[in-house]
């Protein structure tokens, strides 16, 4: 997922790209709700077990330019991989990748998370991947985060029994916030990692991740599965915890050797505010010493 709107490259005609690679773009996804595995299976073919459907349907929510989506599809041809993104340029690039690589088990939907329940039926998804979503560090933007308790409640209804939700991010505060929200939404934690690339190296890289790695970023992550259904007080505790991500940062901000993308301005403001508070306290103390 990108942190800002992607600039249109020079000589890039969006409408032409979308038309050229339309075979990999589904613009009416609501019509496939509950039957993606069967409807997208190639005609006149059958799996080894005789069935004419994909073994599983997996979602890359906020698929970006499709590197993760395409590599996932290439590795497991018997499963269907669907990417969703609201950026038309991302949809165009992801569709181009799918078509040019001849991936018959991948497609993209120009939709956002708000349409999930209209696009997928309860229990239809075997996995949902959230790769590097925008952190929205400020409290008043908390509801835009993809891992609020309310969004997690939507995801759990769409996941099949044993289905997984996986977050990968360069933001430790977002991962730690997500752990709180997952508990509130009744998930069980399968694993939580401070270095996903080292501890779970099987994940394909996204284009965004490659750029982060060049900046020295680590990848934090968590994978969870729906557990017992939460009660109302449990859900409310998650809503009450939708605070600024600054609360999840270490006290010594000056010691940070990497600031997550999308949090730079907020961290700088906090650093400056704390520095000013220390300077005011020091001036006050010096004034008392000379009094």
């Amino acid at each position: 997922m990108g942190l800002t709107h992607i600039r249109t490259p020079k000589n890039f005609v969006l409408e032409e790209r979308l038309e050229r690679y339309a075979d990999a773009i589904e613009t009416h996804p609501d019509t496939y709700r509950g039957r993606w595995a069967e409807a997208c299976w190639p005609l006149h073919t059958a799996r080894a077990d005789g069935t004419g459907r994909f073994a599983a349907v997996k979602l890359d929510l906020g698929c970006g330019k499709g590197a993760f989506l395409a590599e996932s599809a290439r590795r497991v041809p018997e499963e269907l991989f669907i990417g969703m993104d609201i950026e038309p340029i991302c949809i165009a690039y992801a569709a181009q990748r799918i078509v040019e690589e001849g991936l018959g088990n991948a497609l993209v939907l120009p939709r956002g998370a708000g349409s999930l329940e209209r696009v997928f039926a309860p229990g239809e998804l075997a996995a949902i991947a959230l790769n590097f979503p925008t952190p929205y560090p400020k409290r008043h933007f908390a509801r835009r985060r993809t891992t609020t308790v309310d969004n997690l409640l939507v995801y759990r209804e769409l996941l099949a029994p044993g289905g997984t939700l996986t977050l990968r991010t360069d933001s430790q505060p977002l991962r730690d916030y997500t752990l709180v929200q997952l508990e509130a939404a009744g998930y069980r934690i399968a694993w939580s990692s401070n270095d996903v690339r080292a501890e779970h190296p099987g994940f394909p890289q996204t284009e965004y991740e490659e750029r982060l790695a060049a900046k020295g970023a680590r990848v934090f992550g968590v994978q969870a599965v729906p557990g017992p259904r939460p009660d109302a007080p449990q859900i409310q505790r998650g809503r009450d915890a939708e605070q600024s991500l600054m609360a999840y940062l270490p006290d010594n901000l000056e010691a940070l050797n990497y600031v997550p993308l999308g949090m730079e301005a907020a961290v700088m403001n906090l650093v400056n505010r704390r520095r000013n508070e220390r300077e005011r306290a020091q001036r006050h103390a010096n004034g008392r010493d000379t009094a």
Side-chain angles (χ1 to χ4, degrees):
M1 290 187 183
L3 295 169
T4 59
H5 289 293
I6 297 174
R7 295 179 180 177
T8 304
K10 187 177 181 180
N11 300 324
F12 184 100
V13 181
L14 178 60
E15 293 75 13
E16 185 273 334
R17 291 289 184 101
L18 293 173
E19 182 177 356
R20 191 193 316 175
Y21 302 110
D23 286 349
I25 305 171
E26 179 49 61
T27 55
H28 298 91
D30 307 37
T31 62
Y32 294 96
R33 184 178 186 268
R35 58 190 192 93
W36 285 103
E38 296 84 8
C40 295
W41 182 257
L43 294 176
H44 312 302
T45 61
R47 285 172 48 200
D49 60 5
T51 60
R53 69 189 307 275
F54 284 104
V57 181
K58 296 182 176 179
L59 174 65
D60 183 0
L61 183 56
C63 64
K65 295 181 180 180
F68 178 90
L69 178 72
E71 180 59 27
S72 298
R74 188 182 302 108
R75 294 180 182 184
V76 194
E78 68 272 16
E79 296 180 349
L80 176 64
F81 292 85
I82 299 176
M84 293 178 67
D85 208 290
I86 59 173
E87 287 284 356
I89 294 178
C90 287
I91 291 294
Y93 274 119
Q96 177 178 351
R97 189 185 297 267
I98 291 168
V99 171
E100 292 183 348
E101 297 184 17
L103 298 171
N105 62 327
L107 72 158
V108 287
L109 317 179
R111 295 288 190 276
S115 65
L116 282 172
E117 292 174 292
R118 298 191 301 274
V119 173
F120 300 105
E124 188 166 18
L125 297 175
I128 300 174
L130 305 173
N131 291 312
F132 304 94
T134 303
Y136 294 111
K138 295 183 179 179
R139 182 186 180 92
H140 60 274
F141 290 137
R143 301 300 298 161
R144 298 185 184 181
R145 296 173 195 151
T146 58
T147 57
T148 64
V149 63
D150 289 294
N151 283 332
L152 294 172
L153 290 172
V154 172
Y155 306 152
R156 67 172 288 148
E157 293 304 313
L158 303 179
L159 286 169
T164 60
L165 175 75
T166 305
L167 167 74
R168 295 190 306 137
T169 175
D170 65 318
S171 171
Q172 183 175 352
L174 179 62
R175 191 280 309 272
D176 294 347
Y177 161 87
T178 299
L179 287 170
V180 174
Q181 299 296 297
L182 286 166
E183 180 181 1
Y187 285 73
R188 292 187 297 103
I189 305 302
W191 53 259
S192 179
S193 174
N194 290 336
D195 192 345
V196 176
R197 278 195 294 265
E199 297 174 6
H200 303 276
F203 287 100
Q205 276 199 342
T206 69
E207 301 92 337
Y208 188 69
E209 184 178 357
E210 291 174 0
R211 294 199 302 272
L212 294 179
K215 297 176 181 291
R218 275 192 293 168
V219 178
F220 300 89
V222 56
Q223 186 173 95
V225 297
R229 193 170 299 278
D231 57 23
Q234 185 177 349
I235 294 170
Q236 189 58 47
R237 286 195 294 273
R239 291 170 179 158
D240 293 341
E242 288 176 357
Q243 63 216 64
S244 166
L245 292 185
M246 298 298 105
Y248 295 89
L249 284 168
D251 292 333
N252 185 14
L253 294 178
E254 289 85 349
L256 285 177
N257 54 20
Y258 175 81
V259 177
L261 295 186
M263 295 185 65
E264 301 96 332
V267 169
M268 184 59 66
N269 288 339
L270 185 56
V271 168
N272 291 336
R273 184 162 66 249
R274 289 181 179 178
R275 182 184 300 116
N276 292 337
E277 288 171 354
R278 289 196 300 269
E279 290 175 354
R280 283 197 297 271
Q282 186 62 48
R283 287 196 299 269
H284 181 69
N286 291 341
R288 285 187 305 182
D289 291 342
T290 58

